[in-house]
Structure formats: C-alpha cells, structure tokens
Amino acid sequence: MPLALLALAVSAFGIGTTEFVMMGLLPNVADDLNTSVPTAGYLVSAYAIGVVIGAPLLTALGSRIPRKRMLLLLMALFVVGNLASALAPGFGWLIAGRVLAGLPHGAFFGVGAVVAARLVADGRQARAVATMFLGLTVANIVGVPAATLLGQNLGWRATFLVVTVIGLVAMAALARLVPYVPVDAHQSVGRELRALGNRQVLLGLLTAVFGFAGVFAVYSYLASMTTEVMGFGESSVTLVLALFGIGMTLGALAAGPLTDRALRPTLYGSLAALALVLVAFRFTVHIQWAALAAVVVLGAVGFMTTTPLQMLVMKKAQDAPTLASASNHSAFNLANAGGAWLGGAAIAAGWGWTSPAVVGAVLAAAGLAIAVTAGFLDRGGRGGRDGLESLDGLDGLDGLDGRATTKGASRVIAAGSPRTAEPGLSRSSSPASGS
C-alpha cells in the first residue's frame, strides 16, 4: 500500500479522536463550565451538526481545488476548530468550536476516499479506503481512551490541545506523502449535484442512515450499560469502549478484501449480522464474559458496513463521486444522532437499559431492507445483470476501471507537478491513466 494511505490514516485518527472523546469528557466539561451533563451533551450533537452541514457544503465549494490542497485546507480547518475548542472562554464558544471542528469531517473522508481509491491498482480500492478508515477505528482503541484519561487528569482543554497537535502532524504527513492530484477538467458543482441525485446513491445514503443508526442506538449508551447491566465498575468503562474499538478495527480489516471481492453481498451480510448481533446483545449483556465478547463482535459487524456503503455511493455516483462520498458521512452522523435519540427514547419510556439493542436491531433490519431493495432495482435496471457485483469495472473512478493496472496506479503515486494529469473520473480519460 502507498505511504500516502498512512497520511490519510493519521488524519482519520485525529478526526476520530476528537469526534468520540467528548462522550468521556462530558462530566469534566459540565463541571468546569457550570452546566449540567445533559446540557453538555449538546457538544456531541454540535459536532454532528458540523459534519452534516460541512460535508456537502465544503465539498461543493472545493470541487475545483486539487485534491491534495483540498485535504490540507480541510485539515487546517480541523486544527482551527480544535484550537478554538481548547481556548473557548465559555459554553457557547465551545459549541461553536465543536461545530467548526466537525465541518471538515465529511468532506475530508469524502475526498480522502476518492484519493485512496486512486492510489492503488484495480481490485484493491476497497482495501485502500478501509486502510484510511483504520485510523478512525484505532482512535477508538488508543486515541479516545488516552485523550479521556488526559482530560480527566489535566483538564479537558489539554485534550483538545493534543488533538490540535495531532492535526498539525497529519497536515505534515499529507504534505509530504500525498501526491499532487489535480482536478479533472470536467469537474463541477453541477455535475456533483446531479450525481448525488442518482437513485442508487440516495438509496445508499438512506441505507447508511438506518443501518448505522442501529450501531449508535447501543454505542451511545454502552458506558451506562457497562455499569448498570454488565455489573462492572466505572473504571471498566474505558476497557469496554476500547474493546468496541478493537471490534471496529477487525471489521475494517475484513471489510476491505470482502468488498473488493463482492460489494453487495458484503453489505447485505454485515447488515444482517448486525441485526442478529443486536438481538443477541440484549441477552448476552447480562453475562460478563459474554457481554465483553458481544461488544467486540458488535463493533466488528457494525463497522463492516462502512466500507461497502462508501464504495457503493462512489461507484453509483459514476464520474462525480466526491460529493456523494462526503455526503455518506453526513448520513453516518445523522445515523449517530438518530440512533442515540431513539435508543434514549426507549430507555426514557421505561423499557430498560437493554432496549436500545432492540431498537438498533429494528433499524439495522430496515437498513438491510433498503439495501436489498436497491440491489433489486439496480439489477432490474441493468437488463437482468446481477447487481451483486464486485468492484471490477467500477465506473467513474480512476484506478477503479476494470482495465486499470498496477503500472497505471504507480503513475498516479509518482505524480509530482501540476502538469501531471490526474486520471479522469470518466471513461473518456486518456489511455495513459489506465482508463
């Protein structure tokens, strides 16, 4: 794998850390800023709002900016947002800082996924995207627990200062390792918006909203389940969250090659497994050893859905995949907010701490139904051609064409001047690009 993927993974590590660390710092922030924990919880929503707004907006505004420069600008905004959070004089300013830090999230992963797929030869695109996402999963194993511990001992502001430094390191890695990738001549906001209106893209985004909401219906209350249902002490919460992160990493590692081999079956299988695991979670959570194992499995099957969903919207957006790819992260954050809200509503209704697992299972099943419907429509729309395809011949993405070669991918990696032609997003690209 190209070293540029390491730079993308480091960036994803920083983004993942700042996204999830607030859940562990809410009591500290509430105490320091003289507010309640439920009110401090708006800081989690503020970040999600930033992602939902920023993903389509910044991607559209940057549609004519070369990919590497766009990644650097987005990471610079991430650094500013976290620095603003660290220096926030009050709760309102901290809310603003969290929104600002969330703005580049979706756009970065959207652009980053397209770049990652272009850096490798045909048949390895999903693995490249999954490698970038590994930074996000490792953040839940190492970054979030370490940042939470740092915030508890040195204050929550120290956490955001450290994340700011991680962002600066990520910018240096991007500048050094990611090759120059200019924008295609035919790239435009209108083209991206038209691609986003594709029925298969919209169904893919809807699948993400419902399917991934099933994960967050439980994950949002995993800390409370640890103490209230599993019978562990508060000191074990970090361990349980780290186990979930380990599961996420295992899921990302498995999803890459599986998605490269067969996209839709991987999506169907992961969503079906997620629904079954959530049903089982309600019962296994009462047995400590089984609960810990279930947390790992839940993280694995939950995160296995992300890579096929990302590749699906990129494929179906054809020759304008960036906005669709970024919007997928808006969908994931809507799933975050919606899953947490529905899970909390079930608890508030008196259904018990394990009720979010049932809610999550229903949401995952709904996501599976949407995915299967999309596959059926896709198959019918292609004259009976099987819609359960692999990524061979992935339309519209450089390096994802069935005629791409390792040699062609190497040209992209070696590109170093503005005159180096970025392989096109469409079939009309030059033969030298592998299209």
Side-chain angles (χ1 to χ4, degrees):
M1 287 288 182
L3 284 176
L5 294 179
L6 176 62
L8 293 172
V10 171
S11 303
F13 176 84
I15 292 173
T17 299
T18 203
E19 178 182 14
F20 295 112
V21 74
M22 184 55 72
M23 297 176 184
L25 293 178
L26 289 181
N28 306 82
V29 174
D31 182 62
D32 185 53
L33 298 181
N34 298 315
T35 188
S36 66
V37 171
T39 300
Y42 293 143
L43 294 167
V44 177
S45 300
Y47 186 91
I49 290 171
V51 178
V52 172
I53 295 174
L57 178 62
L58 295 182
T59 302
L61 291 175
S63 62
R64 300 297 301 161
I65 299 175
R67 302 291 190 240
K68 178 176 180 176
R69 188 181 304 166
M70 183 64 176
L71 290 173
L72 288 169
L73 288 172
L74 291 170
M75 189 50 60
L77 182 58
F78 170 83
V79 168
V80 172
N82 280 282
L83 183 61
S85 297
L87 302 178
F91 186 74
W93 286 101
L94 183 54
I95 285 280
R98 290 292 288 170
V99 172
L100 188 61
L103 285 175
H105 178 124
F108 184 91
F109 280 117
V111 175
V114 173
V115 170
R118 288 176 173 172
L119 293 173
V120 297
D122 181 58
R124 300 186 66 86
Q125 298 83 26
R127 270 168 279 198
V129 174
T131 298
M132 177 183 69
F133 283 138
L134 277 177
L136 193 62
T137 65
V138 172
N140 282 273
I141 302 174
V142 180
V144 173
T148 300
L149 187 63
L150 177 69
Q152 290 172 343
N153 288 277
L154 298 180
W156 59 270
R157 296 180 188 276
T159 294
F160 291 109
L161 286 175
V162 169
V163 174
T164 300
V165 173
I166 294 174
L168 292 172
V169 172
M171 288 184 67
L174 291 169
R176 177 69 179 85
L177 300 176
V178 175
Y180 177 83
V181 185
V183 168
D184 287 336
H186 67 267
Q187 191 82 7
S188 69
V189 175
R191 196 181 189 96
E192 292 277 359
L193 289 174
R194 287 193 296 273
L196 190 61
N198 180 286
R199 181 176 65 181
Q200 286 294 320
V201 173
L202 293 176
L203 287 172
L205 297 177
L206 196 59
T207 300
V209 171
F210 279 88
F212 213 63
V215 179
F216 275 93
V218 171
Y219 181 69
S220 301
Y221 304 98
L222 195 55
S224 297
M225 290 184 190
T226 299
T227 57
E228 300 294 333
V229 184
M230 298 180 194
F232 292 108
E234 289 186 5
S235 60
S236 299
V237 170
T238 300
L239 170 64
V240 173
L241 294 177
L243 287 175
F244 186 85
I246 290 173
M248 292 174 66
T249 303
L250 295 175
L253 290 171
L258 287 174
T259 303
D260 277 327
R261 183 177 180 84
L263 193 158
R264 288 197 189 272
T266 301
L267 178 58
Y268 298 160
S270 58
L271 286 170
L274 176 60
L276 292 174
V277 169
L278 285 166
V279 170
F281 189 81
R282 181 171 188 178
F283 303 99
T284 58
V285 74
H286 298 284
I287 307 170
Q288 287 188 339
W289 67 267
L292 296 178
V295 167
V296 176
V297 175
L298 177 60
V301 297
F303 208 76
M304 275 187 69
T305 64
T306 58
T307 298
L309 280 169
Q310 189 75 33
M311 298 306 296
L312 179 65
V313 297
M314 288 166 63
K315 171 179 179 174
K316 296 305 177 182
Q318 297 183 353
D319 58 351
T322 311
L323 182 57
S325 178
S327 296
N328 202 37
H329 291 276
S330 291
F332 284 139
N333 275 268
L334 285 174
N336 183 343
W341 179 74
L342 290 171
I347 295 172
W351 295 350
W353 284 107
T354 60
S355 59
V358 178
V359 172
V362 173
L363 290 168
L368 175 60
I370 296 169
V372 171
T373 300
F376 177 79
L377 293 173
D378 193 28
R379 181 178 180 180
R382 300 187 318 172
R385 181 182 170 189
D386 190 3
L388 307 186
E389 72 283 349
S390 70
L391 292 181
D392 291 339
L394 187 58
D395 293 340
L397 287 176
D398 161 81
L400 303 188
D401 192 318
R403 290 168 288 173
T405 63
T406 304
K407 183 178 179 180
S410 298
R411 288 196 194 95
V412 181
I413 298 170
S417 73
R419 294 173 307 199
T420 302
E422 178 187 27
L425 287 171
S426 70
R427 298 285 187 184
S428 61
S429 301
S430 66
S433 72
S435 296

